[in-house]
Amino acid sequence: MSEADPQAQVMARIAAAVDRALAVPVTVQLRGALEYGIASGLIPAGSQLPSVRALAAHLKVSPVTVSNAYAALRASGLIEGRVGAGSFVTPGASPTESELDVHRLLQSRIEDLVEAAEAIGLDRRELAMRVANARGRRRSLRILMLGIFPEATESYAAILRSHLPARDEVVAATLAQTREALPEGIDLVVTPRNVQAEAQRLFPAVPVVGMTFIPTEQTRIELARIAPEARVAIVSYFADFLALMRAGILRFAPHVSASEACLWDAPEVDAVLARCDVLIYATGAERLRERLHAGQGAIEYRHTPDPHAIRAELLPAVEARREAPTPTKDTSGEDSRQQLVRG
């Protein structure tokens, strides 16, 4: 793989996230690096992954390790195999109309409206006045922001609300809450890409938009402000996110030279916390702040919906769903929930 090749550059970053010094199996790290790389947009939808042998050689691991990671990603719907071509990141369950299709549909309807006005002798100035005074009758939507942790999920929902008309309702729910009771009347589900497959199982009759997420601006600012001599503790809630989280932190705080990383429930976590000047913790590990003493700082490594993904993926999906026929009563949700409980 050439260093000038975008695929090689992406895989070099993923390789940097695999740290053999961590107390997390390389197989778990690799799967997490690929999964969160896809979820964050580092590995874009539609891009081709290296062959099993090529990636194994690049990482200096067994091809079986890479093959198992790819198999897990295929099972979760994040990648797909194409006969004779290799493995590719799936485009996700976005609506059938792209952003361009929505604009073309709007343009077609405008042209139809102009022709109808001309047929009855209405000039374009009068038509423009009528359009300006017309009240929109497009139906409102009930959109579900589906996440993992309650506070973070609600913050994601608040961001989505700021991009949508007031008539649309955005509700927030975690996967745990949704497994217990499916929200009713949902027109569209929005979720991080790494949990998109489960969202589709929960809502088989509803379009699901898998969004990319990036570290928040506040997170990036706080990381850049860490003193170069500070001893940093990096603590993840999920094992498969630890290595990639560490690589992301060092990307935004390259001046930090002393760092330790572990899981929030690892036996050594108290010792790691005692030695640090600054704790950087993943969302979900907030309780660790209570174990810090005076003089220690803490930064939450929080993510936010990628603004580009909102414009390019979410808003076209919303408009396409708005143009779709009003759905009848959805009876698939309860059946889906019962199947998941039985499974």
Side-chain angles (χ1 to χ4, degrees):
M1 292 186 292
S2 168
E3 289 300 323
D5 184 357
Q7 183 185 96
Q9 295 176 5
V10 168
M11 286 305 134
R13 292 178 180 175
I14 297 301
V18 177
D19 186 351
R20 289 173 172 79
L22 296 177
V24 177
V26 172
T27 301
V28 175
Q29 292 189 45
L30 176 58
R31 178 184 172 183
L34 288 166
E35 186 175 87
Y36 285 95
I38 292 170
S40 65
L42 182 62
I43 308 176
S47 60
Q48 182 178 12
L49 298 180
S51 69
V52 169
R53 290 185 178 180
L55 184 55
H58 188 68
L59 299 178
K60 295 181 174 59
V61 298
S62 166
V64 175
T65 298
V66 177
S67 180
N68 289 341
Y70 279 14
L73 294 176
R74 283 195 295 271
S76 63
L78 291 178
I79 69 173
E80 60 185 7
R82 300 178 188 173
V83 178
S87 298
F88 293 80
V89 178
T90 57
S94 55
T96 56
E97 292 179 296
S98 65
E99 184 176 21
L100 183 58
D101 293 328
V102 173
H103 283 286
R104 285 173 176 168
L105 176 63
L106 175 62
Q107 182 63 33
S108 175
R109 292 186 176 181
I110 291 174
E111 292 170 357
D112 291 341
L113 180 61
V114 171
E115 290 181 4
E118 291 174 347
I120 62 174
L122 199 67
D123 64 31
R124 297 195 177 191
R125 178 178 297 180
E126 177 65 19
L127 174 61
M129 290 181 60
R130 295 197 180 194
V131 169
N133 293 326
R135 296 183 63 184
R137 293 181 294 175
R138 298 193 306 164
R139 69 186 181 95
S140 59
L141 298 178
R142 192 164 195 253
I143 299 169
L144 173 65
M145 179 64 238
L146 185 63
I148 298 176
F149 302 106
E151 183 183 350
T153 303
E154 179 54 48
S155 72
Y156 303 155
I159 292 172
L160 300 190
R161 292 186 192 107
S162 69
H163 289 271
L164 297 170
R167 65 178 181 273
D168 291 334
E169 180 185 10
V170 180
V171 297
T174 65
L175 281 171
Q177 293 168 340
T178 304
R179 292 189 192 105
E180 292 296 323
L182 287 177
E184 298 181 352
I186 299 300
D187 298 296
L188 188 72
V189 178
V190 182
T191 189
R193 290 207 69 201
N194 55 313
V195 294
Q196 183 177 357
E198 185 166 1
Q200 290 170 334
R201 289 192 291 269
L202 285 165
F203 296 90
V206 179
V208 176
V209 179
M211 292 280 291
T212 55
F213 284 69
I214 60 175
T216 65
E217 181 180 4
Q218 184 62 34
T219 296
R220 298 195 300 269
I221 291 173
E222 291 183 0
L223 291 176
R225 288 176 176 171
I226 297 175
E229 67 277 8
R231 294 165 298 178
V232 172
I234 301 170
V235 182
S236 173
Y237 190 88
F238 296 109
D240 57 2
F241 183 54
L242 179 59
L244 195 68
M245 176 183 172
R246 184 174 183 274
I249 289 170
L250 297 180
R251 175 185 174 192
F252 294 111
H255 56 284
V256 173
S257 58
S259 66
E260 293 183 87
C262 68
L263 296 178
W264 70 280
D265 57 353
E268 69 272 18
V269 66
D270 286 326
V272 171
L273 293 179
R275 290 191 292 266
C276 79
D277 298 309
V278 179
L279 163 66
I280 306 174
Y281 62 93
T283 300
E286 294 83 2
R287 291 186 178 181
L288 293 179
R289 296 176 66 111
E290 301 171 2
R291 305 187 195 179
L292 299 179
H293 56 72
Q296 290 180 302
I299 299 172
E300 179 180 2
Y301 193 70
R302 173 166 284 197
H303 287 78
T304 187
D306 184 349
H308 174 74
I310 291 177
R311 294 189 299 269
E313 300 170 23
L314 176 63
L315 296 184
V318 168
E319 292 309 309
R321 188 60 170 163
R322 206 187 302 280
E323 295 289 343
T326 302
T328 57
K329 186 178 187 299
D330 180 16
T331 59
S332 62
E334 180 62 22
D335 292 339
S336 175
R337 187 181 72 84
Q338 291 176 358
Q339 291 172 3
L340 284 169
V341 171
R342 287 195 297 268

